[in-house]
Amino acid sequence: MIVFKNVTKIYFPNITAVEKLNFEIKAGEFVILVGRSGAGKSTILKLIRKEENPTEGHIYYKNLDYHKLKPKDVTLLRRKIGIIFQEFKLLLDRTVYENIRLPLEILGLSAKEIYRKTEEMLRMVDLWSHKTVLAKFLSGGEKQKLSIARALSTNPEVLLADEPTGNLDPISSMEIIELLKNINSQGITVILATHHKDIVNYLNKRVITLHQGRIVRDENPGKYTLI
Ligand code: ADP
């Protein structure tokens, strides 16, 4: 589903973030990217959503070559590949409901569809009772649940999670991880970047370990190891 062929990314002026990456992620997989800060995890996620372009090599999504995508295709690609972040990136002065409604409005859904989808997403993450609360008043765990609901509202095939538990306490972290497992069991491909050892070992899924921008291990199931 996602293929990296000899992918290198060099940031200006001369920072090699990832080098000669080769891997394939199949539809429905749960893949964990592990590595120290600066190892290249976020760069891989940005390349997958085509927020950055490789300096060398090719990336494919369902056989579509990223080099050949037009701007319209990139918009569609990003709808198919949702993302959540450590820092949530919510509209903090908007309500829980509006955080889902506004992006769906931009997509041009009808008012009825927006209501139905927003209710479905908020019930899935147990936040329907909080729909009128401003996002800034939510706890960290609730904020991450809201970002997951927002990311899934466009029916993506893939969910990328960039250190989603980085700002959370252990119990909220486990809730988010259980939610990701659940989402994956419904057929959505999940790619999780993390350096939480306990989470990696608990999940017992495929682990791609990065060191200085290179893949040093790719095992299924894998364990947490740092080089
Ligand atoms: P990780 O997510 O594993 O912490 P990153 O992918 O964020 O790693 O970073 C990999 C390397 O690329 C680091 O050395 C980082 O400083 C560098 N880097 C990331 N983004 C940029 C950028 N926009 N410009 C220059 N260097 C960058």
Side-chain angles (χ1 to χ4, degrees):
M1 182 186 221
I2 298 168
V3 176
F4 273 49
K5 275 196 182 153
N6 267 315
V7 171
T8 295
K9 173 68 188 178
I10 302 173
Y11 287 110
F12 182 83
N14 194 17
I15 299 163
T16 304
V18 293
E19 204 172 357
K20 297 200 170 81
L21 298 183
N22 286 290
F23 62 84
E24 175 174 2
I25 293 175
K26 297 206 163 66
E29 266 197 285
F30 193 124
V31 180
I32 311 170
L33 301 177
V34 172
R36 291 183 188 194
S37 182
K41 305 181 294 295
S42 299
T43 299
I44 292 178
L45 300 183
K46 284 181 191 152
L47 289 166
I48 292 174
R49 292 192 90 228
K50 206 172 174 4
E51 280 161 16
E52 294 288 350
N53 293 312
T55 314
E56 275 175 43
H58 287 265
I59 302 174
Y60 303 86
Y61 184 75
K62 293 182 158 175
N63 295 327
L64 289 175
D65 184 341
Y66 279 23
H67 285 307
K68 294 182 185 155
L69 297 184
K70 302 193 171 68
K72 179 175 66 81
D73 302 325
V74 175
T75 308
L76 286 174
L77 178 86
R78 295 200 186 129
R79 226 174 272 170
K80 290 287 161 213
I81 307 178
I83 187 160
I84 59 168
F85 304 94
Q86 173 169 349
E87 64 277 18
F88 318 121
K89 300 195 182 178
L90 295 166
L91 303 167
L92 292 174
D93 286 316
R94 298 291 195 145
T95 63
V96 164
Y97 191 88
E98 285 171 327
N99 268 273
I100 313 274
R101 177 175 68 86
L102 295 171
L104 292 179
E105 259 178 23
I106 293 167
L107 291 184
L109 267 66
S110 71
K112 201 172 152 191
E113 278 174 308
I114 291 174
Y115 186 87
R116 190 195 60 74
K117 194 72 194 170
T118 308
E119 179 175 0
E120 180 195 342
M121 290 296 113
L122 291 179
R123 284 196 190 281
M124 176 194 71
V125 296
D126 268 339
L127 281 177
W128 183 240
S129 59
H130 286 55
K131 57 183 176 293
T132 57
V133 176
L134 293 182
K136 65 182 168 195
F137 294 131
L138 297 179
S139 70
E142 288 167 342
K143 284 194 181 104
Q144 197 55 289
K145 285 184 189 171
L146 179 56
S147 10
I148 291 174
R150 181 182 57 184
L152 294 185
S153 66
T154 59
N155 301 323
E157 294 166 346
V158 181
L159 179 64
L160 310 180
D162 197 352
E163 299 280 2
T165 58
N167 282 330
L168 305 182
D169 62 76
I171 293 178
S172 306
S173 296
M174 277 324 287
E175 277 183 20
I176 295 301
I177 294 302
E178 290 305 326
L179 204 47
L180 293 181
K181 272 176 67 181
N182 223 318
I183 288 162
N184 177 246
S185 70
Q186 290 165 33
I188 296 176
T189 307
V190 175
I191 306 175
L192 164 67
T194 183
H195 42 224
H196 278 176
K197 181 178 180 178
D198 294 345
I199 288 174
V200 177
N201 290 341
Y202 163 76
L203 278 167
N204 203 36
K205 302 284 189 188
R206 176 175 172 195
V207 177
I208 297 180
T209 307
L210 294 152
H211 180 62
Q212 294 179 348
R214 286 185 175 256
I215 294 177
V216 291
R217 278 207 178 90
D218 183 351
E219 292 170 332
N220 190 9
K223 290 280 169 219
Y224 179 93
T225 40
L226 274 192
I227 312 299

